[in-house]
Amino acid sequence: MTATAFAALFGAALLISLVLHVWLARRHIAFVAAHRDAVPAAFSERIGLAAHQKAADYTMARTRLGISETAVETLLLLALTFGGGIAALVRLTDVLPFGVMGRDLTLIAAVAVITGLFAIPFSYYRTFGIEVRFGFNRTTRALWFADLAKGALIGAVLGLPLAAVVLWLMRATGPLWWLWAWAVWIGFQFLLLALYPTVIAPLFNKFSPLPPGAARAAIEALLARCGFANRGLYVMDGSRRSSHGNAFFTGFGRAKRIVFFDTLLERLTPDEVEAVLAHELGHFKLKHVLKRMLWMGFFSLAFLALLAWLANSPWFYTGLGVPPSMDRPGVALILFFLVLPVFTFAFGPLSSFYSRRHEFEADAFAAKNASAPSLVRALVKLYEDNANTLTPDPVYSAFHDSHPPAAVRIARLEAA
Ligand SMILES: [Zn+2]
């Protein structure tokens, strides 16, 4: 591979992913707009025209913002690579009075701050523009900025030591450094799983035990029926920030917890909560969570091996507008994470397909262990409350959606 060939390959991949992204988004907007004036027949008795139109407008607003964000991300990536941004940061950090480690960590932190600064306006507009306009937002500007600061701080406290260990391994452990780095990465993932429910999530939300009542009784009966040992049922004050509802599992091994957003409990009846939980339980019992983790483990190993090869190839640097910097492992690391998504974007549909298959399996599990009609009722309420469109463009949906379209999902449940 020559530097010119790699530059051409990267440029072509970037152009293809941009065109594909925009083409899919525009298709989606056009399809939703074309179906805005009539509720799909299967939902005509369950969802009113006003709610359907709100979902269409909300979907179009979010998708339009996504197009602008993709365009800005692409320009930023071009500026950082061909435009000489990373090359300039490498030169600037080269003269710092630290060792290689300190220079590399400064470089990584600088790139993280720059990409973060470009993402902030979009995130701000998503919350205080779109979510406010559609009546979903419940967060204040003070809380939003506090969340942002906390998120950045947690990113630094967890991310910088991880980067330091990986950078040290890259220099100190020889050609097989990537195997060591992989072991560290896997360990880090388990650390996050342990820290998230106990330390990180409580920094943002209050968790209180699920109060006794019909919902709790139904949930406990379901857990006993499925032989699931849990370490606690919690309610999270999701209503502090948004009216969107959700339920999730956190932790692993014996420390598993089940968390419900207060907004979900407010809206669903006990049998509907039970059905939603049965779906989530299905993901655990059918080993979807484990399978996902194994895939992630496999891909992270493959990517680290690829990085090890690229870090030793001068054309990788020169092709991206940076002088070869084999003595600065941080340069290869940051370039790799910047350009990797451009090449993996095309695999999105495979991952979405795999995820949608799991959703169908979890729905079938819920139909068997709780009740299909309750799950259908819960899904209709959630679709309406979250203003998810019932009429996504089929191609856009196949590419992006981790969950099957509502109509397909509900038709399968009703056939069961
Ligand atoms: Zn699911």
Side-chain angles (χ1 to χ4, degrees):
M1 182 80 84
T2 65
T4 319
F6 183 62
L9 183 69
F10 170 64
L14 189 60
L15 185 67
I16 290 170
S17 79
L18 175 68
V19 169
L20 196 59
H21 215 110
V22 173
W23 177 71
L24 286 168
R26 292 179 61 111
R27 269 190 72 106
H28 190 45
I29 291 169
F31 197 91
V32 170
H35 292 81
R36 187 180 179 278
D37 291 329
V39 181
F43 295 91
S44 58
E45 281 163 25
R46 294 185 273 219
I47 287 180
L49 183 62
H52 173 69
Q53 292 186 330
K54 178 182 171 184
D57 297 341
Y58 180 62
T59 302
M60 290 190 282
R62 286 172 60 94
T63 312
R64 275 194 204 103
L65 182 66
I67 295 179
S68 322
E69 193 168 11
T70 304
V72 167
E73 280 169 359
T74 304
L75 288 175
L76 176 63
L77 191 52
L78 280 173
L80 286 173
T81 52
F82 298 155
I86 298 289
L89 288 170
V90 171
R91 275 198 309 277
L92 282 171
T93 50
D94 253 340
V95 297
L96 289 174
F98 315 140
V100 174
M101 172 72 80
R103 292 171 185 171
D104 277 348
L105 285 177
T106 312
L107 172 72
I108 289 169
V111 175
V113 168
I114 291 169
T115 51
L117 285 177
F118 275 87
I120 287 172
F122 290 98
S123 170
Y124 184 89
Y125 180 72
R126 198 169 286 120
T127 302
F128 295 105
I130 297 176
E131 295 290 303
V132 166
R133 178 155 28 114
F134 289 92
F136 293 127
N137 180 54
R138 291 193 189 164
T139 195
T140 59
R141 281 174 177 76
L143 182 60
W144 191 85
F145 279 107
D147 285 351
L148 188 70
K150 277 187 215 164
L153 200 65
I154 293 168
V157 166
L158 291 171
L160 286 175
L162 174 69
V165 172
V166 171
L167 290 170
W168 178 78
L169 290 170
M170 287 174 89
R171 286 164 58 87
T173 54
L176 289 180
W177 68 262
W178 51 280
L179 276 178
W180 293 102
W182 184 67
V184 167
W185 173 247
I186 298 295
F188 181 74
Q189 294 300 313
F190 277 101
L191 179 71
L192 274 189
L193 278 178
L195 287 183
Y196 182 77
T198 49
V199 179
I200 301 174
L203 291 175
F204 293 91
N205 283 96
K206 251 204 344 256
F207 293 81
S208 39
L210 181 68
R216 185 171 179 122
I219 290 162
E220 281 175 343
L222 169 72
L223 293 175
R225 217 156 57 233
C226 298
F228 186 87
N230 81 92
R231 279 307 195 81
L233 299 168
Y234 291 86
V235 185
M236 192 188 99
D237 59 345
S239 59
R240 266 184 90 196
R241 293 186 177 80
S242 159
S243 62
H244 293 307
N246 206 349
F248 62 93
F249 284 74
T250 69
F252 65 99
R254 296 171 54 80
K256 274 194 287 288
R257 297 173 171 198
I258 300 168
V259 178
F260 298 93
F261 280 40
D262 53 357
T263 40
L264 185 92
L265 294 174
E266 270 163 30
R267 272 292 279 155
L268 301 186
T269 62
D271 63 306
E272 291 163 0
V273 173
E274 182 194 10
V276 167
L277 180 64
H279 170 98
E280 297 301 325
L281 208 53
H283 284 310
F284 253 89
K285 283 281 166 183
L286 302 167
K287 306 222 180 323
H288 296 163
V289 182
L290 184 69
K291 282 180 195 164
R292 271 218 158 235
M293 285 172 74
L294 290 175
W295 274 113
M296 295 304 230
F298 169 76
F299 279 114
S300 52
L301 183 64
F303 287 143
L304 282 166
L306 181 64
L307 170 59
W309 176 60
L310 292 172
N312 272 323
S313 311
W315 50 261
F316 174 63
Y317 302 87
T318 328
L320 295 171
V322 181
S325 316
M326 272 77 100
D327 55 335
R328 293 265 318 255
V331 178
L333 196 64
I334 204 72
L335 283 176
F336 185 72
F337 284 106
L338 279 176
V339 305
L340 185 66
V342 174
F343 293 99
T344 54
F345 174 68
F347 297 101
L350 281 179
S351 155
S352 300
F353 174 79
Y354 188 62
S355 164
R356 287 195 299 267
R357 214 182 56 189
H358 285 171
E359 292 307 321
F360 284 132
E361 289 173 12
D363 278 350
F365 182 91
K368 199 168 121 231
N369 291 283
S371 138
S374 304
L375 185 57
V376 169
R377 277 198 307 279
L379 286 174
V380 169
K381 275 190 194 172
L382 292 175
Y383 271 95
E384 188 170 348
D385 285 1
N386 292 327
N388 284 327
T389 180
L390 299 171
T391 56
D393 172 56
V395 183
Y396 175 93
S397 176
F399 205 96
H400 285 296
D401 285 349
S402 61
H403 285 64
V408 181
R409 219 174 146 185
I410 287 172
R412 276 222 194 176
L413 277 168
E414 288 187 330

